Amino acid sequence: MTDALIKAWEEVVRPFFLRPKRVQVAALCTRDGATGKEVLLITSRGTGRWIVPKGWPIDGLNGPETALQEAWEEAGVQGTQTDKEPVGRYSYDKIKGNGLAVPVETEVYRIEVSKLADDYPEVGQRKRQWVPPEEAANLVREPQLQAILLDL
């Protein structure tokens, strides 16, 4: 290889493939339903696929606090308790508006839900539904998230 190709590989191409994943925080919202444990799923705003509430870290909030904030904004979750440590992690590629895939590592915090609000910031932008963990695992796309749901 020429020196120019080696330099391009080492300074541009290789670092692009080795870039660190961005971090998001997710809320695994659960409750005791009539037939057992249930999980709250919401639809994404872009594709309408089923997901758990999640978002980028929020300045001044730790992981569990960010998970609670995302659960409120995206699903109307309120009056809840959350675990201090994540129950798991999953990876996925977030597709940006320009089509670029951004690798994301998502920390998942379990939240026991006591109440859902009828009015919340993204009420008109998403659907929400309670489902058993097995059904939730069938509805989400990410294999690592499916495993977390099946472990409930």
Side-chain angles (χ1 to χ4, degrees), residues 26 28 42 47 52 67 72 80 84 89 99 113 117-118 126 130 132 136:
L28 179 58
I42 61 170
T47 63
V52 294
W72 159 248
T80 59
K84 301 284 187 239
R89 292 173 175 75
V113 178
D118 292 329
R126 302 176 186 273
W130 288 104

Side-chain angles (χ1 to χ4, degrees), residues 117-133:
D118 292 329
D119 187 30
Y120 52 96
E122 297 182 13
V123 67
Q125 302 171 38
R126 302 176 186 273
K127 295 177 185 171
R128 62 184 180 186
Q129 73 172 347
W130 288 104
V131 295

Side-chain angles (χ1 to χ4, degrees), residues 65-106:
E65 292 166 340
T66 297
L68 282 169
Q69 182 64 32
E70 292 298 331
W72 159 248
E73 291 175 7
E74 296 181 0
V77 171
Q78 58 184 178
T80 59
Q81 299 264 341
T82 183
D83 291 347
K84 301 284 187 239
E85 296 296 323
V87 294
R89 292 173 175 75
Y90 69 95
S91 298
Y92 77 103
D93 287 335
K94 181 171 184 65
I95 308 301
K96 304 295 272 183
N98 61 6
L100 180 67
V102 177
V104 176
E105 180 80 16
T106 307

Side-chain angles (χ1 to χ4, degrees), residues 29-31 40 77-80 111-116 130:
C29 302
T30 62
R31 73 176 183 187
L40 182 64
V77 171
Q78 58 184 178
T80 59
I111 297 173
E112 189 64 32
V113 178
S114 60
K115 184 177 177 185
L116 289 179
W130 288 104

